[in-house]
Amino acid sequence: MGHLPKLIEDLALILIVAAFVVLIFRRIKQPLVLGYIIAGFLVSPNFKIFPSVVDNENIKTLAEIGVIFLLFSLGLEFSFKKLMNVGGSASITAFVEIIFITIAGYFTGKMLGWSTMDSMFLGGMLASSSTTIIIRAFDELGVKTKNFAKTVFGVLVVEDIVVILLMVLLSTIAVTKEFEGTQILYTVAKLLFFLILWFLLGIFLLPTFLKRIKNLVDEEILMILSIGLCLGMVLIATSVGFSAELGAFVMGSIIAETTVAEKIEHTLKSVKDLFGAVFFVSVGMMINYSDMITYAVPILAVTLLTLFGKLFSSALGALISGQPLKQSVQVGMSMAQIGEFAFIVATLGLSLGVISPFLFPVAVGVSAITTFTTPYMIKLSEPLYNWLVKIIPPKYIERINKYSSNIQNIQAENSWQTLLKNYGRILMINGIVIIAIYLLFSKFIIPKINENLESNDIKNIIGNAIPILFILPFLWALMMKRPKSGAYHDLWTKKKYNRGPLLIIEICRIGFGIAILGFFLDRFASTQVSFFITIPVAVIIIVLFNKRINRFYNRLEKRFIRNLNDRTDGNAQSEAVTRLAGNSEIKKNLAAWDVHILELEVNPLANYIGKPLIELQWREKYGINIGYIKRGEKLIHTPERNEVLMPYDKVGIITTDDDFQVFKPIFENFESAEETDANDVKLGKILINHHSPAKNISIRESGIRDKTDGLVVAIRRGEERILNPKSTEILLEDDIIFVVGDRKKIEKLNQEI
């Protein structure tokens, strides 16, 4: 090749400089992201000593591809099930923090004299903390086993999805140049509709397709297919008015529920790293050191807002969610930084041409400062708590602790709550599918039919028959499907006055379904034909073929659930642990005791190997319980007292932070102490009410252990908390029993009691 394209020359310069800079950053144990940004500054025209990149447009294109792969990879690590598993404490903390810091960021920008759009994007840039920086700091400080760390990880999960939504809202506002409440609500509703629809269709179709072709694909084909699916969803997202980043994130989240997710994640890692490096280098190329000096005051102001605003709002959110004061302070001190999403939000604003260029050096400066301060903030969390305890009057400390205890004392769901939640799920899922079918026919199929057919009679027949055929199973489910839980049966049989409201619900469902049917057909065919012929015929078909439609719908539902649980079921055989965020439920339920679950690996040289648990007496000596043992592919729920530990067993330890520090030397040289929860193991609550057969008898006599394959780890009795109760403890009315055991059996016993 006689003449190299400028793109190749630029790529060579970028990658060589980036490699040397990140080697230095790895040596000094600093985040590689900052290294890439500095490398970008070194090869930019703003730094005259080194050769500079020539073809900026091509680099920008590669950077856009980098953002797509970054969001796709984030989706692979995310999964919708992880979001559903995030507990209320982490969700409340995240929303309080995001709302506060976004609004504070906006008003800070206005105080600095920035435009409305600059201020809005500043709020969006501050909304997310850096997962990478936090995990690295937790590893270095050895606090990943602390109870507050689980809240932090749950908050980060919620932040990821909320920032994606913020990006969609910001891009909509930037394009329309309007900030109207109705427009924002419409955008949010549209976004949620497409998110749920894509999730339903993706989980229904994609895992089945991947299973069918698994014998035909290797890593190369899998990489090409996954990239194709990612870019295809990017095209779909942009065609319906959303950003390319959202499309990449959604496809990653859908693939995250399949059994090949880890394989795809591993295969794409090098591709993601390459384009991600180009993206962060392109961020650095936009930095002008003179701008950094010029905007030193805004950088300082936004840094202070990030440090103290995120500290205050995160701690406040944790307190509101019911966390004790100490854990709330620790959560707040951990969240005080911004990370990669700040650059992605700023890139979005620049690509739309709605923000000023100086926002980039501000974002980079704030990110660099808060990256270095994060470890020190986490270290200072306990001293700050101790200082607060000294200066805050004891009566307020007592009120905070009492509030935290009361929040934890949330009663078990009653039958009406369970039933209404199940009805809501049925209406939402089937309603969204029916709306999607309506859009499909109204936008594409019916117009094509009208273009190619001349007879109005044939148009009416087709316009009535084909849409009804497609929506019939989902319309039947919306009108006739009963929730699978036993709540309906309990309400109908136990108290006669429940039957009236239940009948009203069923009548309203049927009426709502008929109204949807009428609206649906009115759009595609003659109103008279629909009213006098199609609707009565459709209702008769639903009644006469109720069982067949039921079987068909159940097949669709089972396939969806099977696809959704494929990865979880596979991991139950190979990993026996759920994702980290699932533990927020445990933190929520037992935060008043600072109790959580850790998974430790048995050292093959440990002196307790082969000894029965009753002989070790860990519960009596150290106050810990063993929730499960994972041995190879075997999962032992709440092991018996004569069970022994073997080399490399994974042991689920239920403990407090303080007890674990004492117990930790027993597991010397253990390799893993991440907060996890076994797939089929749940920490559940059982309420002893006045009807309960377990009232006024001992734990042993109640049979709770046998009925749940579980272990009673705590009892909440009014203001009293009993940790590790004896088997002879008498259960009283209004006691809340905390049990670690088989998930399904606990749920079944809860309904019985």
Side-chain angles (χ1 to χ4, degrees):
M1 182 183 294
H3 177 69
L4 281 176
K6 291 297 180 184
L7 175 61
I8 296 178
E9 295 179 11
D10 291 339
L11 270 178
L13 176 63
I14 285 173
L15 297 178
I16 290 172
V17 174
F20 279 105
V21 174
V22 296
L23 280 173
I24 296 171
F25 268 65
R26 175 155 289 174
R27 178 74 175 178
I28 61 177
K29 296 182 179 180
Q30 295 303 322
L32 301 187
V33 170
L34 286 178
Y36 288 127
I37 293 173
I38 291 176
F41 172 69
L42 295 178
V43 300
S44 70
N46 299 316
F47 193 75
K48 306 298 184 181
I49 299 176
F50 286 175
S52 300
V53 169
V54 176
D55 197 342
N56 286 327
E57 291 303 317
N58 282 332
I59 298 301
K60 287 181 181 178
T61 301
L62 293 175
E64 290 174 5
I65 297 174
V67 174
I68 289 173
F69 280 117
L70 283 173
L71 270 296
F72 182 57
S73 299
L74 182 64
L76 286 172
E77 298 169 5
F78 174 80
S79 90
F80 283 94
K81 287 180 72 176
K82 179 188 281 188
L83 181 63
M84 290 187 286
N85 286 332
V86 171
S89 297
S91 301
I92 293 171
T93 304
F95 281 110
V96 170
E97 183 242 327
I98 290 169
I99 292 171
F100 176 89
I101 201 67
T102 303
I103 295 174
Y106 172 80
F107 283 107
T108 299
K110 297 300 286 184
M111 288 174 60
L112 292 170
W114 296 356
S115 68
T116 298
M117 205 59 70
D118 286 341
S119 302
M120 291 176 63
F121 270 82
L122 175 63
M125 288 160 55
L126 300 180
S128 177
S129 299
S130 173
T131 305
T132 305
I133 294 170
I134 290 174
I135 290 177
R136 182 181 65 88
F138 280 3
D139 281 335
E140 291 177 355
L141 299 174
V143 298
K144 285 182 72 174
T145 57
K146 296 286 187 179
N147 205 9
F148 79 91
K150 291 176 292 184
T151 302
V152 173
F153 289 129
V155 171
L156 291 172
V157 171
V158 179
E159 280 187 344
D160 287 344
I161 189 67
V162 171
V163 173
I164 294 292
L165 301 179
L166 278 176
M167 289 173 63
V168 173
L169 291 177
L170 287 172
S171 60
T172 302
I173 294 170
V175 171
T176 60
K177 305 294 184 184
E178 295 178 356
F179 187 74
E180 295 182 359
T182 54
Q183 178 66 29
I184 297 300
L185 289 175
Y186 171 74
T187 301
V188 172
K190 178 182 173 183
L191 175 61
L192 293 177
F193 169 77
F194 279 106
L195 281 176
I196 296 172
L197 178 62
W198 287 334
F199 175 68
L200 293 174
L201 290 177
I203 296 300
F204 186 78
L205 298 174
L206 189 58
T208 301
F209 171 70
L210 292 174
K211 281 186 284 187
R212 296 275 176 86
I213 65 170
K214 68 178 182 179
N215 295 326
L216 302 175
V217 299
D218 54 16
E219 286 193 359
E220 178 184 354
I221 297 176
L222 195 61
M223 180 181 71
I224 295 171
L225 177 62
S226 59
I227 293 175
L229 290 171
C230 170
L231 297 179
M233 182 57 79
V234 166
L235 290 174
I236 294 173
T238 53
S239 66
V240 296
F242 297 124
S243 65
E245 292 82 2
L246 176 66
F249 179 82
V250 168
M251 181 50 68
S253 299
I254 293 172
I255 293 178
E257 308 299 348
T258 68
T259 55
V260 297
E262 286 90 355
K263 193 173 182 180
I264 291 176
E265 191 174 350
H266 172 73
T267 304
L268 283 178
K269 186 178 184 304
S270 56
V271 179
K272 179 202 77 172
D273 290 343
L274 172 62
F275 285 102
V278 175
F279 166 70
F280 289 116
V281 169
S282 71
V283 170
M285 290 171 57
M286 298 180 189
I287 299 173
N288 190 324
Y289 62 86
S290 62
D291 288 342
M292 299 283 283
I293 298 172
T294 303
Y295 295 101
V297 173
I299 290 173
L300 179 61
V302 176
T303 299
L304 292 175
L305 172 64
T306 302
L307 292 175
F308 297 104
K310 291 176 82 72
L311 187 164
F312 171 78
S313 57
S314 299
L316 178 64
L319 278 175
I320 292 173
S321 72
Q323 300 304 299
L325 179 60
K326 182 177 180 179
Q327 286 180 207
S328 300
V329 172
Q330 290 172 319
V331 169
M333 295 288 275
S334 301
M335 301 296 297
Q337 81 289 123
I338 62 172
E340 302 81 43
F341 259 118
F343 307 135
I344 295 174
V345 172
T347 301
L348 174 66
L350 283 179
S351 65
L352 295 172
V354 295
I355 65 171
S356 305
F358 66 77
L359 272 184
F360 245 109
V362 170
V364 173
V366 174
S367 177
I369 295 171
T370 55
T371 295
F372 292 117
T373 59
T374 294
Y376 301 102
M377 296 283 284
I378 297 171
K379 283 182 182 179
L380 292 171
S381 58
E382 287 201 34
L384 176 60
Y385 165 74
N386 295 331
W387 178 73
L388 289 174
V389 170
K390 290 179 182 178
I391 66 169
I392 298 176
K395 63 178 182 179
Y396 294 115
I397 297 291
E398 184 180 346
R399 288 179 185 177
I400 292 172
N401 292 332
K402 187 175 181 180
Y403 172 79
S404 174
S405 299
N406 290 336
I407 290 296
Q408 305 307 321
N409 191 16
I410 299 173
Q411 301 300 309
E413 263 190 2
N414 61 40
S415 297
W416 272 110
Q417 289 173 318
T418 303
L419 185 70
L420 293 175
K421 186 165 64 175
N422 288 332
Y423 271 132
R425 187 180 297 116
I426 290 171
L427 291 173
M428 181 189 71
I429 292 174
N430 292 285
I432 285 175
V433 173
I434 290 172
I435 293 172
I437 293 173
Y438 164 73
L439 293 174
L440 177 67
F441 274 88
S442 63
K443 299 292 184 183
F444 301 103
I445 297 177
I446 296 300
K448 288 293 182 184
I449 291 174
N450 291 336
E451 286 178 11
N452 295 290
L453 292 177
E454 296 182 359
S455 172
N456 289 329
D457 292 335
I458 296 177
K459 289 180 183 179
N460 275 325
I461 292 172
I462 294 176
N464 275 277
I466 296 181
I468 288 295
L469 185 65
F470 274 83
I471 71 166
L472 201 58
F474 309 103
L475 189 65
W476 169 87
L478 190 145
M479 298 169 65
M480 310 285 289
K481 181 175 174 60
R482 291 276 177 83
K484 289 185 177 180
S485 70
Y488 189 95
H489 181 266
D490 291 341
L491 289 169
W492 184 268
T493 56
K494 288 185 178 179
K495 295 180 180 178
K496 291 185 178 181
Y497 61 77
N498 286 329
R499 296 182 180 181
L502 289 174
L503 286 173
I504 292 174
I505 290 175
E506 295 298 330
I507 293 171
C508 290
R509 288 175 67 194
I510 293 172
F512 183 56
I514 293 174
I516 289 178
L517 183 63
F519 170 81
F520 204 88
L521 292 173
D522 183 55
R523 294 296 183 272
F524 302 128
S526 165
T527 304
Q528 291 182 343
V529 172
S530 300
F531 186 78
F532 292 107
I533 300 177
T534 309
I535 292 179
V537 170
V539 173
I540 292 171
I541 290 174
I542 289 176
V543 173
L544 293 179
F545 295 95
N546 177 54
K547 291 184 178 179
R548 291 188 179 182
I549 299 174
N550 184 10
R551 285 197 297 268
F552 177 73
Y553 183 86
N554 285 337
R555 284 201 300 270
L556 296 178
E557 188 177 54
K558 286 178 181 178
R559 175 173 162 182
F560 177 84
I561 294 172
R562 185 171 61 249
N563 287 347
L564 184 63
N565 294 327
D566 260 353
R567 184 179 181 187
T568 304
D569 294 340
N571 289 347
Q573 300 299 321
S574 62
E575 274 183 29
V577 290
T578 55
R579 291 183 173 271
L580 188 64
N583 291 300
S584 55
E585 175 192 0
I586 296 173
K587 180 189 69 56
K588 174 186 72 176
N589 289 340
L590 284 181
W593 292 283
D594 191 29
V595 172
H596 51 298
I597 287 182
L598 310 175
E599 184 176 270
L600 309 179
E601 184 174 88
V602 174
N603 190 300
L605 301 177
N607 57 11
Y608 50 79
I609 288 175
K611 295 182 180 180
L613 296 179
I614 190 173
E615 180 181 336
L616 296 176
Q617 292 191 315
W618 283 346
R619 178 173 180 170
E620 293 78 9
K621 293 179 180 178
Y622 307 104
I624 66 100
N625 288 286
I626 295 181
Y628 64 88
I629 299 174
K630 169 65 170 57
R631 183 171 297 151
E633 295 184 354
K634 182 181 179 182
L635 180 64
I636 304 171
H637 292 278
T638 53
E640 299 288 342
R641 61 181 63 189
N642 293 319
E643 186 66 55
V644 298
L645 295 177
M646 304 299 290
Y648 301 110
D649 277 355
K650 303 287 182 64
V651 185
I653 303 293
I654 306 167
T655 182
T656 67
D657 286 345
D658 293 336
D659 288 341
F660 178 68
Q661 295 306 313
V662 178
F663 180 68
K664 186 176 180 180
I666 302 300
F667 268 84
E668 59 181 350
N669 298 323
F670 64 85
E671 295 181 7
S672 172
E674 290 191 2
E675 305 84 350
T676 55
D677 181 20
N679 279 329
D680 297 321
V681 176
K682 173 184 179 179
L683 178 66
K685 290 185 295 184
I686 298 175
L687 174 65
I688 305 297
N689 56 36
H690 62 284
H691 296 301
S692 174
K695 187 177 71 169
N696 296 328
I697 61 176
S698 68
I699 294 174
R700 182 189 294 120
E701 293 170 333
S702 70
I704 289 177
R705 180 184 175 96
D706 297 329
K707 292 176 182 177
T708 62
D709 286 339
L711 183 69
V712 177
V713 296
I715 298 176
R716 175 65 188 270
R717 181 173 293 158
E719 295 299 319
E720 183 184 4
R721 308 184 192 96
I722 305 172
L723 192 61
N724 296 332
K726 296 180 180 179
S727 59
T728 56
E729 182 73 35
I730 302 299
L731 301 178
L732 304 179
E733 185 176 339
D734 294 330
D735 278 356
I736 297 178
I737 314 301
F738 293 86
V739 183
V740 175
D742 184 273
R743 179 180 296 272
K744 293 181 180 178
K745 291 184 178 180
I746 290 176
E747 292 171 354
K748 181 180 178 182
L749 182 62
N750 226 330
Q751 302 229 348
E752 292 176 358
I753 291 182

